[in-house]
Amino acid sequence: MNSVKVKVYAKINLSLNVCAKDGLYHDLDTVMTSIDLFDVVSVVKRADDSVNVSFDGKKVLSSNAMKAALLMRDSFNTGGVDIFVRSGIPSGGGLGGSSADAAAVIRATDLLYGLKLGVGDLISIAAKTGSDVPYMLFGGYARLRGKGEFFTPFDGPEGKVLVSGFGSVDTASCFERFDLLGGQGIKCDNDVLVRELESRSFNDCGKLFNNALFDAAQSLNPHVGRIYDIMRASGLDACMTGSGSYVFASGEDGALFAAAKKLKDLRYSYNIIKTVKNGCITV
């Protein structure tokens, strides 16, 4: 086997609570699910130990995909690789694109070199790469705590969401603004949210979706609030994902398409997509 190709899905945060600050970083308590936006990552063996990464044909010198590849090479004595990423997940939007690419590299390298790593080893390498990377290996519904290294998968309903955003929000700046605003860090009872998702329809749970970083993010990127208001005015339950800038909404099909039309008229990009049960799959 000389190459492996992996499809890796984006995520949305159905809830995001900001807990105590531990040193430089905040602990989080968040519920995520995967959605049908994806990157395709190809990992190809090299004859030497070099690692090269290209995004949509453009070579990059630093990325989570590069970090993951170097960790895999140095931890398990694999050879070098060429990594080609075809992007379908918008960057800087809170949809987990860079974490997804790292997870895809870990999964593909494991297969490419026949390492047959157990779940524990995969999670250990992923956690060293980035906070959301362990989750992105597996995807689906899960509750994550701490820096994302503690996650509990659970079964949830299939759902449909309208996703839209413009520009980006820098994660570090968003948390700094959150601290300056003195915002409320606990916006959602995640025990209740998980129970509801395990027993009810996706749309029934929409009113529970919330994100403690919303005020901070929209103060940095006003489009976050504008898109949110458009979705709410159309009768949808809306929520920001991650630290922004993308917002998603759930509701009846008619309201989803009505909001999509308003977004289109204002030249905002959008997708109406379903939740999915996987993080990484080979293609």
Side-chain angles (χ1 to χ4, degrees), residues 118-132:
V119 171
D121 285 331
L122 290 169
I123 290 175
S124 177
I125 288 291
K128 293 175 184 176
T129 309
S131 58
D132 288 341

Side-chain angles (χ1 to χ4, degrees), residues 139-215:
Y141 282 95
R143 182 176 181 178
L144 289 74
R145 295 179 175 90
K147 309 295 184 298
E149 68 272 32
F150 305 110
F151 68 96
T152 306
F154 64 94
D155 291 327
E158 182 179 274
K160 186 184 294 184
V161 291
L162 169 65
V163 181
S164 181
F166 184 86
S168 62
V169 175
D170 178 73
T171 299
S173 298
C174 188
F175 277 98
E176 288 174 6
R177 185 62 59 89
F178 173 84
D179 289 337
L180 286 172
L181 292 174
Q184 180 185 347
I186 307 301
K187 291 286 189 178
C188 182
D189 186 331
N190 283 339
D191 291 331
V192 172
L193 177 58
V194 170
R195 285 200 302 268
E196 293 294 289
L197 286 166
E198 288 177 322
S199 61
R200 304 187 67 180
S201 75
F202 188 81
N203 287 351
D204 286 341
C205 299
K207 288 180 171 52
L208 297 174
F209 301 161
N210 216 323
N211 188 323
L213 294 174
F214 177 79
D215 290 339

Side-chain angles (χ1 to χ4, degrees), residues 9-22:
Y9 291 97
K11 59 82 176 172
I12 52 175
N13 299 80
L14 303 178
S15 73
L16 193 154
N17 291 332
V18 181
C19 306
K21 193 171 185 179
D22 179 15

Side-chain angles (χ1 to χ4, degrees), residues 5-237:
K5 184 183 292 185
V6 173
K7 180 189 288 188
V8 59
Y9 291 97
K11 59 82 176 172
I12 52 175
N13 299 80
L14 303 178
S15 73
L16 193 154
N17 291 332
V18 181
C19 306
K21 193 171 185 179
D22 179 15
L24 294 174
Y25 301 100
H26 296 80
D27 282 339
L28 305 179
D29 181 2
T30 180
V31 176
M32 294 185 186
T33 191
S34 304
I35 56 171
D36 196 13
L37 288 174
F38 56 86
D39 286 356
V40 176
V41 180
S42 299
V43 179
V44 182
K45 280 184 181 178
R46 290 181 57 89
D48 56 24
D49 290 334
S50 298
V51 173
N52 300 298
V53 180
S54 297
F55 283 81
D56 298 322
K58 182 178 180 181
K59 188 173 181 178
V60 298
L61 299 179
S62 177
S63 66
N64 269 359
M66 171 74 78
K67 185 176 180 180
L70 293 173
L71 280 169
M72 291 293 286
R73 184 197 67 185
D74 296 343
S75 299
F76 302 106
N77 297 313
T78 62
V81 290
D82 290 323
I83 299 166
F84 304 94
V85 180
R86 190 171 78 238
S87 302
I89 303 173
S91 62
L95 297 167
S98 64
S99 296
D101 295 335
V105 168
I106 293 169
R107 180 73 72 187
T109 305
D110 180 40
L111 294 171
L112 186 63
Y113 283 96
L115 299 176
K116 298 182 180 179
L117 297 178
V119 171
D121 285 331
L122 290 169
I123 290 175
S124 177
I125 288 291
K128 293 175 184 176
T129 309
S131 58
D132 288 341
V133 182
Y135 163 76
M136 302 301 280
L137 282 168
F138 304 99
Y141 282 95
R143 182 176 181 178
L144 289 74
R145 295 179 175 90
K147 309 295 184 298
E149 68 272 32
F150 305 110
F151 68 96
T152 306
F154 64 94
D155 291 327
E158 182 179 274
K160 186 184 294 184
V161 291
L162 169 65
V163 181
S164 181
F166 184 86
S168 62
V169 175
D170 178 73
T171 299
S173 298
C174 188
F175 277 98
E176 288 174 6
R177 185 62 59 89
F178 173 84
D179 289 337
L180 286 172
L181 292 174
Q184 180 185 347
I186 307 301
K187 291 286 189 178
C188 182
D189 186 331
N190 283 339
D191 291 331
V192 172
L193 177 58
V194 170
R195 285 200 302 268
E196 293 294 289
L197 286 166
E198 288 177 322
S199 61
R200 304 187 67 180
S201 75
F202 188 81
N203 287 351
D204 286 341
C205 299
K207 288 180 171 52
L208 297 174
F209 301 161
N210 216 323
N211 188 323
L213 294 174
F214 177 79
D215 290 339
Q218 73 166 340
S219 73
L220 295 170
N221 182 341
H223 294 285
V224 172
R226 292 169 191 161
I227 292 170
Y228 176 90
D229 289 342
I230 290 168
M231 292 175 172
R232 293 281 295 170
S234 299
L236 299 171
D237 294 313

